[in-house]
Amino acid sequence: MQPLTTSSRLRNDFPPDARYLIGVSGGRDSVTLLHWLISLGYKKLIVCHLNHQLRGRSSDADACFVQKLVATSNEKIVGQALRLPGRQKGKQSACPTTKMSHIDFELGRANVRSLAKKKKTSIETAAREARYSFFAEAAKRHCCHTIFLAHHADDLVETFLFNLIRGAGPIGLAGMRSVSTRRIDGVDLTIVRPLLSVWRTDIDKYVHERHLRFREDATNKTLAAMRNRIRNSIIPHLEKNLGRNIRQNIWRTAMIAAEEEKWIDNEAPDFTNLHLLVPGLRALPVALQRRAILKWLRTQNISEVGFDVIERVRSLADRDAPIAKVNLPRDRHARRRAGRIFLE
């Protein structure tokens, strides 16, 4: 494999002797990432596995598989299996001080179906939010705010098309970056995706050559979720009818969008106060207005921030706006008063 972040650059930016979180579902992608990182000398990893409770016994079997995988990895690292019962989500402990090289294990559980129903979101959205919340909790427990995730080139292509269909802007089309920072539940989590230029076929080859065991999620082959339809139907249909491999071109477009999105994000001012000053917002170009509002809403813990939500808030800065209050997701509101926009 030749990751986007090369081995030498990865080790320079993220030294192997430090501790890092790593998300491991038990599927071939995350198992490959874990194996590859250990081979590079990363031996103080904290494997984070969230049981989504969506597939009954199969979900429990995934958790058991990952726990055994951690134990097996430790046998190779320290010569003996360590007792790793898996700390449950929600239990707090002091930050570890040990310098011993071994793989730790964090196990969490979330009733994703119930969360989706409660929040009126899709299963996929609820699962993603639950995972990142779990990662943030693990980061707090271990005082370790960097996590490795196993997203690869095909994931980037599928995300690009998914967001394009939804009518996303530059942020959505950028999809993923090899290194990014996301604020979750008050935690600034650095997300590292070393395999973002590695294709699924390369991962299959890596797994086959090293005889790696993994768990196969049968739901990945169904057409129920939009992402699965893009993967199993839309992309193959386009390639067949266009007579070319479109994945590489879409991947390149997504990477260009990611770099440009990073630049505009750095240009936009940070509004971290509880309110937005309307005159300052009006003085910005429209593109920076939208980015500033997005960053502000995220610091105020407003989720599901899309184009429509941003435009509703931006309309409050319009001198001719007939209204001074707009609705936000989950029964929140933004209001303008005395030259300020605030939440209630």
Side-chain angles (χ1 to χ4, degrees):
M1 294 192 303
Q2 295 182 351
L4 177 63
T5 305
T6 62
S7 302
S8 58
R9 180 180 173 187
L10 181 69
R11 285 190 289 245
N12 287 334
D13 293 344
F14 303 96
D17 58 350
R19 291 176 66 83
Y20 303 99
L21 307 174
I22 176 173
V24 179
S25 67
R28 72 181 68 204
D29 304 337
S30 59
V31 167
T32 294
L33 178 61
L34 177 62
H35 184 276
W36 182 70
L37 287 174
I38 292 175
S39 73
L40 293 180
Y42 290 84
K43 298 177 181 178
K44 296 181 181 179
L45 298 170
I46 303 158
V47 169
C48 300
H49 177 86
L50 180 67
N51 185 338
H52 298 78
Q53 301 183 27
L54 288 172
R55 295 162 36 243
R57 292 182 179 178
S58 292
S59 293
D60 294 336
D62 290 345
C64 289
F65 172 82
V66 175
Q67 187 167 1
K68 291 178 181 178
L69 178 63
V70 171
T72 301
S73 299
N74 278 317
E75 288 181 3
K76 297 177 181 178
I77 293 173
V78 300
Q80 61 181 346
L82 299 176
R83 295 185 61 189
L84 294 170
R87 279 179 284 278
Q88 300 299 312
K89 178 181 177 182
K91 292 185 179 180
Q92 301 293 326
S93 63
C95 294
T97 58
T98 178
K99 294 184 179 181
M100 179 180 178
S101 293
H102 72 269
I103 311 300
D104 206 348
F105 183 50
E106 283 282 339
L107 172 65
R109 290 183 174 86
N111 190 332
V112 170
R113 203 177 304 279
S114 177
L115 290 173
K117 184 177 180 180
K118 180 180 179 180
K119 297 180 179 180
K120 298 179 181 179
T121 63
S122 67
I123 292 291
E124 186 178 19
T125 298
R128 182 173 60 251
E129 290 182 354
R131 277 196 304 276
Y132 279 101
S133 180
F134 167 58
F135 295 155
E137 290 182 11
K140 288 179 183 178
R141 275 194 290 275
H142 291 272
C143 296
C144 174
H145 292 188
T146 299
I147 184 167
F148 290 109
L149 297 181
H151 297 115
H152 50 73
D154 291 275
D155 290 326
L156 182 61
V157 169
E158 292 158 11
T159 299
F160 180 93
L161 289 175
F162 179 78
N163 289 334
L164 179 66
I165 293 169
R166 295 171 60 206
I171 296 176
L173 297 182
M176 306 170 187
R177 300 182 199 168
S178 56
V179 181
S180 61
T181 301
R182 179 172 176 177
R183 189 168 183 81
I184 307 158
D185 301 335
V187 176
D188 290 321
L189 195 62
T190 298
I191 302 169
V192 185
R193 300 180 174 96
L195 306 183
L196 211 52
S197 66
V198 177
W199 297 94
R200 187 175 288 115
T201 53
D202 298 320
I203 292 175
D204 290 341
K205 182 178 179 181
Y206 187 94
V207 168
H208 177 73
E209 290 177 347
R210 289 158 182 81
H211 307 287
L212 301 183
R213 295 181 59 207
F214 60 90
R215 292 280 297 175
E216 189 73 70
D217 185 350
T219 60
N220 287 336
K221 297 182 180 180
T222 69
L223 299 182
M226 172 64 77
R227 188 178 297 276
N228 289 340
R229 291 199 293 272
I230 290 173
R231 176 186 308 158
N232 300 317
S233 295
I234 295 176
I235 292 178
H237 176 78
L238 290 174
E239 291 183 336
K240 179 180 179 180
N241 286 273
L242 295 178
R244 64 179 65 186
N245 185 343
I246 65 172
R247 287 178 171 88
Q248 185 66 45
N249 292 337
I250 295 175
W251 178 88
R252 184 169 56 246
T253 301
M255 295 303 296
I256 293 171
E259 288 302 318
E260 294 184 354
E261 190 276 330
K262 180 180 179 180
W263 174 79
I264 193 173
D265 193 58
N266 291 333
E267 290 296 309
D270 287 317
F271 290 98
T272 56
N273 296 326
L274 294 177
H275 55 262
L276 286 175
L277 293 177
V278 173
L281 192 61
R282 287 174 179 165
L284 297 174
V286 172
L288 292 184
Q289 287 181 15
R290 290 171 175 153
R291 186 56 56 93
I293 291 171
L294 171 65
K295 295 169 80 170
W296 178 66
L297 289 174
R298 285 179 172 173
T299 61
Q300 306 304 314
N301 294 320
I302 300 297
S303 60
E304 302 173 33
V305 180
F307 178 80
D308 291 339
V309 171
I310 293 173
E311 287 300 280
R312 286 200 292 270
V313 175
R314 199 169 73 86
S315 71
L316 295 176
D318 190 337
R319 289 183 174 85
D320 300 322
I323 58 174
K325 178 182 177 181
V326 296
N327 296 327
L328 299 178
R330 302 182 187 178
D331 298 323
R332 300 289 299 277
H333 306 88
R335 183 185 293 275
R336 184 194 69 236
R337 180 184 297 153
R340 298 180 177 184
I341 298 174
F342 56 93
L343 301 182
E344 58 181 21

